[in-house]
Coordinates of all heavy atoms in Angstrom, one line a residue:
L193 N -13.7 -21.1 5.3 CA -12.3 -20.8 5.5 C -11.7 -20.3 4.2 O -10.9 -19.4 4.2 CB -11.6 -22.1 5.9 CG -11.8 -22.6 7.3 CD1 -11.2 -23.9 7.6 CD2 -11.4 -21.6 8.3
A194 N -12.1 -20.9 3.1 CA -11.5 -20.4 1.8 C -11.9 -19.0 1.5 O -11.1 -18.1 1.1 CB -12.0 -21.3 0.7
C195 N -13.2 -18.6 1.8 CA -13.7 -17.3 1.6 C -12.9 -16.3 2.5 O -12.5 -15.2 2.1 CB -15.2 -17.2 1.9 SG -16.1 -17.9 0.5
G196 N -12.7 -16.7 3.8 CA -12.0 -15.9 4.7 C -10.6 -15.6 4.3 O -10.1 -14.5 4.4
T197 N -9.9 -16.7 3.8 CA -8.6 -16.6 3.4 C -8.4 -15.6 2.2 O -7.5 -14.8 2.1 CB -8.0 -18.0 3.1 OG1 -8.1 -18.8 4.2 CG2 -6.5 -17.9 2.7
A198 N -9.4 -15.8 1.3 CA -9.3 -14.9 0.1 C -9.5 -13.4 0.5 O -8.9 -12.5 0.0 CB -10.4 -15.3 -0.9
F199 N -10.4 -13.2 1.4 CA -10.7 -11.9 1.9 C -9.4 -11.3 2.6 O -9.1 -10.1 2.3 CB -11.9 -11.9 2.9 CG -12.1 -10.5 3.5 CD1 -12.8 -9.5 2.8 CD2 -11.7 -10.2 4.8 CE1 -13.0 -8.3 3.3 CE2 -12.0 -9.0 5.4 CZ -12.6 -8.0 4.6
E200 N -8.8 -12.1 3.4 CA -7.5 -11.6 4.1 C -6.4 -11.3 3.1 O -5.7 -10.3 3.2 CB -7.0 -12.7 5.1 CG -7.8 -12.8 6.4 CD -7.7 -11.5 7.2 OE1 -6.6 -11.0 7.3 OE2 -8.7 -11.0 7.6
L201 N -6.3 -12.2 2.1 CA -5.3 -11.9 1.0 C -5.5 -10.6 0.3 O -4.6 -9.9 0.0 CB -5.2 -13.1 0.0 CG -4.6 -14.4 0.6 CD1 -4.7 -15.5 -0.5 CD2 -3.1 -14.1 0.8
R202 N -6.8 -10.4 0.0 CA -7.2 -9.2 -0.7 C -6.9 -7.9 0.2 O -6.4 -6.9 -0.3 CB -8.7 -9.2 -1.1 CG -9.0 -8.2 -2.2 CD -10.5 -8.4 -2.6 NE -11.0 -9.8 -2.7 CZ -12.1 -10.2 -2.1 NH1 -12.8 -9.4 -1.4 NH2 -12.4 -11.5 -2.2
R203 N -7.2 -8.1 1.5 CA -6.9 -6.9 2.4 C -5.4 -6.7 2.5 O -5.0 -5.5 2.5 CB -7.5 -7.3 3.7 CG -7.5 -6.1 4.7 CD -8.3 -6.4 5.9 NE -7.8 -7.5 6.7 CZ -6.9 -7.3 7.7 NH1 -6.6 -6.1 8.1 NH2 -6.5 -8.4 8.3
M204 N -4.6 -7.8 2.6 CA -3.2 -7.6 2.7 C -2.6 -7.0 1.5 O -1.7 -6.1 1.6 CB -2.5 -9.0 2.9 CG -2.7 -9.5 4.3 SD -2.2 -11.3 4.5 CE -0.6 -11.2 3.9
R205 N -3.1 -7.4 0.3 CA -2.6 -6.8 -1.0 C -2.9 -5.3 -1.0 O -2.1 -4.5 -1.4 CB -3.3 -7.5 -2.2 CG -2.3 -8.2 -3.0 CD -2.9 -8.8 -4.2 NE -3.3 -10.2 -3.9 CZ -4.5 -10.8 -4.2 NH1 -5.4 -10.1 -4.7 NH2 -4.7 -12.0 -3.9
R206 N -4.1 -4.9 -0.5 CA -4.5 -3.5 -0.5 C -3.6 -2.7 0.4 O -3.2 -1.6 0.1 CB -6.0 -3.4 -0.1 CG -6.6 -2.0 -0.4 CD -8.1 -2.0 -0.1 NE -8.3 -2.4 1.2 CZ -9.3 -3.2 1.6 NH1 -10.1 -3.8 0.8 NH2 -9.4 -3.5 2.9
D207 N -3.3 -3.3 1.6 CA -2.4 -2.6 2.6 C -1.0 -2.4 2.0 O -0.4 -1.4 2.1 CB -2.3 -3.4 3.9 CG -3.6 -3.4 4.7 OD1 -4.5 -2.6 4.3 OD2 -3.7 -4.2 5.6
V208 N -0.5 -3.4 1.3 CA 0.8 -3.3 0.7 C 0.8 -2.2 -0.4 O 1.7 -1.4 -0.5 CB 1.3 -4.7 0.1 CG1 2.5 -4.5 -0.8 CG2 1.5 -5.7 1.2
A209 N -0.2 -2.2 -1.2 CA -0.3 -1.2 -2.3 C -0.4 0.2 -1.6 O 0.2 1.2 -2.1 CB -1.6 -1.4 -3.1
A210 N -1.1 0.4 -0.5 CA -1.2 1.7 0.1 C 0.2 2.1 0.7 O 0.6 3.3 0.6 CB -2.2 1.6 1.3
K211 N 0.9 1.2 1.2 CA 2.3 1.5 1.8 C 3.2 1.9 0.6 O 4.0 2.8 0.8 CB 2.8 0.2 2.5 CG 2.3 0.1 3.9 CD 2.9 -1.1 4.5 CE 2.2 -1.5 5.8 NZ 2.4 -2.9 6.2
E212 N 3.1 1.2 -0.5 CA 4.0 1.5 -1.6 C 3.7 2.9 -2.2 O 4.6 3.7 -2.5 CB 3.8 0.5 -2.7 CG 4.4 -0.9 -2.4 CD 4.2 -2.0 -3.4 OE1 3.4 -1.7 -4.3 OE2 4.7 -3.1 -3.2
T213 N 2.4 3.2 -2.2 CA 2.0 4.6 -2.7 C 2.5 5.6 -1.7 O 3.0 6.6 -2.2 CB 0.4 4.6 -2.8 OG1 0.0 3.6 -3.6 CG2 0.0 6.0 -3.3
T214 N 2.4 5.4 -0.4 CA 2.8 6.3 0.6 C 4.4 6.5 0.5 O 4.9 7.6 0.5 CB 2.5 5.9 2.0 OG1 1.1 5.7 2.0 CG2 2.9 6.9 3.0
T215 N 5.1 5.4 0.3 CA 6.5 5.5 0.2 C 6.9 6.3 -1.0 O 7.8 7.1 -1.0 CB 7.1 4.1 0.1 OG1 6.7 3.3 1.3 CG2 8.6 4.1 0.1
A216 N 6.3 6.0 -2.2 CA 6.6 6.8 -3.4 C 6.3 8.3 -3.2 O 7.1 9.1 -3.7 CB 5.8 6.2 -4.6
L217 N 5.2 8.6 -2.6 CA 4.9 10.0 -2.3 C 5.9 10.7 -1.4 O 6.4 11.8 -1.7 CB 3.5 10.1 -1.7 CG 3.0 11.5 -1.4 CD1 2.8 12.2 -2.7 CD2 1.7 11.4 -0.7
L218 N 6.3 10.0 -0.4 CA 7.4 10.5 0.5 C 8.7 10.7 -0.2 O 9.4 11.8 0.0 CB 7.6 9.6 1.7 CG 6.4 9.6 2.7 CD1 6.6 8.6 3.8 CD2 6.2 11.0 3.4
K219 N 9.1 9.8 -1.0 CA 10.3 9.9 -1.8 C 10.2 11.1 -2.7 O 11.2 11.9 -2.9 CB 10.6 8.7 -2.6 CG 11.1 7.5 -1.7 CD 11.4 6.3 -2.6 CE 11.9 5.2 -1.7 NZ 12.1 4.0 -2.5
R220 N 9.1 11.3 -3.4 CA 8.9 12.4 -4.3 C 9.0 13.7 -3.5 O 9.6 14.7 -4.0 CB 7.6 12.3 -5.1 CG 7.5 13.2 -6.3 CD 6.4 12.9 -7.1 NE 5.1 13.2 -6.4 CZ 4.0 12.7 -6.7 NH1 3.8 11.7 -7.5 NH2 2.9 13.1 -6.0
L221 N 8.4 13.8 -2.4 CA 8.4 15.0 -1.6 C 9.8 15.3 -1.1 O 10.3 16.4 -1.0 CB 7.5 14.9 -0.3 CG 6.0 15.0 -0.6 CD1 5.2 14.7 0.6 CD2 5.6 16.4 -1.1
A222 N 10.6 14.3 -0.8 CA 12.0 14.5 -0.3 C 12.9 15.0 -1.4 O 13.8 15.8 -1.2 CB 12.5 13.1 0.2
R223 N 12.6 14.6 -2.7 CA 13.3 15.1 -3.8 C 13.0 16.5 -4.2 O 13.7 17.2 -4.8 CB 13.2 14.2 -5.0 CG 13.9 12.9 -4.9 CD 13.9 12.2 -6.2 NE 12.5 12.0 -6.6 CZ 11.9 10.9 -7.1 NH1 12.7 9.9 -7.4 NH2 10.7 10.8 -7.3
S224 N 11.7 16.9 -3.9 CA 11.2 18.2 -4.3 C 12.0 19.3 -3.6 O 12.1 19.3 -2.4 CB 9.7 18.3 -4.0 OG 9.3 19.6 -4.2
P225 N 12.5 20.3 -4.3 CA 13.3 21.4 -3.7 C 12.5 22.3 -2.8 O 12.9 22.8 -1.8 CB 13.9 22.2 -4.9 CG 13.0 21.8 -6.0 CD 12.5 20.4 -5.8
Q226 N 11.2 22.5 -3.1 CA 10.3 23.3 -2.3 C 9.6 22.5 -1.2 O 9.1 23.1 -0.3 CB 9.2 24.0 -3.2 CG 9.8 24.9 -4.2 CD 10.6 26.1 -3.6 OE1 10.2 26.5 -2.6 NE2 11.6 26.5 -4.3

């Protein structure tokens, strides 16, 4: 159970990081004049 929980936490952290990266990219694109 401890191994499974650690794996889930790692996966959730990776998903959050991916969302943050996508959000930052979209904001940068929205600010870009071209």
Side-chain angles (χ1 to χ4, degrees):
L193 287 174
C195 285
T197 303
F199 177 76
E200 282 297 315
L201 285 173
R202 200 176 318 130
R203 190 171 63 96
M204 284 168 56
R205 241 182 269 131
R206 194 173 59 225
D207 289 348
V208 168
K211 282 182 192 160
E212 288 174 355
T213 303
T214 303
T215 303
L217 182 63
L218 289 173
K219 284 181 181 176
R220 196 169 69 205
L221 286 173
R223 282 189 305 221
S224 173
Q226 298 297 327

